[in-house]
Amino acid sequence: MSEESQERRTTAVSPWMLPGSGGGTPCWSAVAQGADFSAVVTAGSVWVVARLPGRARVAVRVAHCPHGHPRVAAPGRAGAGARLLIESAIGVFHAEIDLPGPDSPLHVTTALRPHAALTMPFWPRDLAVPGPGATGRVHAPPGPDCLHFSITAPGRANVHYRQNLAALDDYARQTGTSLDGAVGGRWPELGLALPGSEDGHLEPGHDTVLSDAYLSFQ
């Protein structure tokens, strides 16, 4: 059995997952395809948490706020989903959430408008399986922009994740980085990690897409 397909149990998390995608203050919620979705504000991030049938959960980070204390303006409706304007010390995030349908995945897009020229030496991954003791397997990736993993406890679910890397071309241009290998990770922190750069920077007052993620659940 390859390392990627071995079942893993969450015994520790990185500082960028704390105080954790399992707590925080909900600011929006909806139900679609038998699952509950909510936008949750923690001390340093804003997450979209999917609570799937059978207790399995997946969290998508829509804003990482290194200096903490993000503030979500009143969420606006976007069809069956929502638009979030998130104010933070580094700039204003705009997140759009499109809920899944019978033939369409959950679609979450985030853009950042920095307050100042912003170098990007590090950015955490945008996908997590929350909860101590959560177990699952990360399978061989179907492509450089995709992930497939299974949650085995609590609950059971198969999750397919795809990142539209073409939408991040402007980020790569401004920072002078390559998106090769940007999608990956280890259980329980997966998904996209923006490549770091201390030379190039994001332009202030300019909206730059940081993530354009699609997730389907089975």
Side-chain angles (χ1 to χ4, degrees):
M1 180 183 296
S2 68
E3 181 181 356
E4 289 80 6
S5 63
Q6 291 179 1
E7 185 172 76
R8 294 185 176 274
R9 183 176 188 271
T10 301
T11 57
V13 296
S14 76
W16 298 278
M17 197 170 164
L18 294 174
S21 50
T25 304
C27 64
W28 167 84
S29 62
V31 177
Q33 300 299 299
D36 296 320
F37 298 88
S38 58
V40 177
V41 184
T42 66
S45 293
V46 178
W47 304 81
V48 171
V49 180
R51 291 173 172 83
L52 308 174
R55 297 178 58 217
R57 291 187 297 161
V58 177
V60 183
R61 192 194 313 264
V62 297
H64 170 52
C65 309
H67 290 282
H69 309 294
R71 189 179 75 83
V72 178
R77 295 192 64 84
R83 291 189 179 95
L84 305 179
L85 187 149
I86 304 161
E87 297 176 350
S88 75
I90 65 172
V92 177
F93 293 86
H94 298 269
E96 294 201 11
I97 306 162
D98 295 323
L99 293 173
D103 301 309
S104 59
L106 172 68
H107 181 200
V108 181
T109 302
T110 298
L112 170 64
R113 180 178 296 178
H115 292 318
L118 190 67
T119 59
M120 303 286 283
F122 172 80
W123 206 253
R125 295 199 179 271
D126 70 341
L127 185 65
V129 181
T135 61
R137 295 181 175 90
V138 181
H139 304 286
D145 58 350
C146 301
L147 280 174
H148 172 211
F149 62 95
S150 302
I151 300 171
T152 54
R156 303 186 71 86
N158 285 309
V159 183
H160 295 265
Y161 166 99
R162 182 177 70 85
Q163 180 66 230
N164 176 19
L165 294 177
L168 278 62
D169 283 347
D170 191 31
Y171 172 90
R173 177 190 64 79
Q174 292 181 68
T175 58
T177 56
S178 170
L179 296 168
D180 291 345
V183 174
R186 290 174 60 87
W187 184 271
E189 299 175 55
L190 305 164
L192 171 75
L194 291 168
S197 172
E198 296 184 357
D199 296 325
H201 61 267
L202 300 186
E203 301 166 7
H206 173 74
D207 288 325
T208 301
V209 174
L210 303 184
S211 178
D212 188 31
Y214 295 79
L215 292 95
S216 58
F217 312 102
Q218 299 174 344

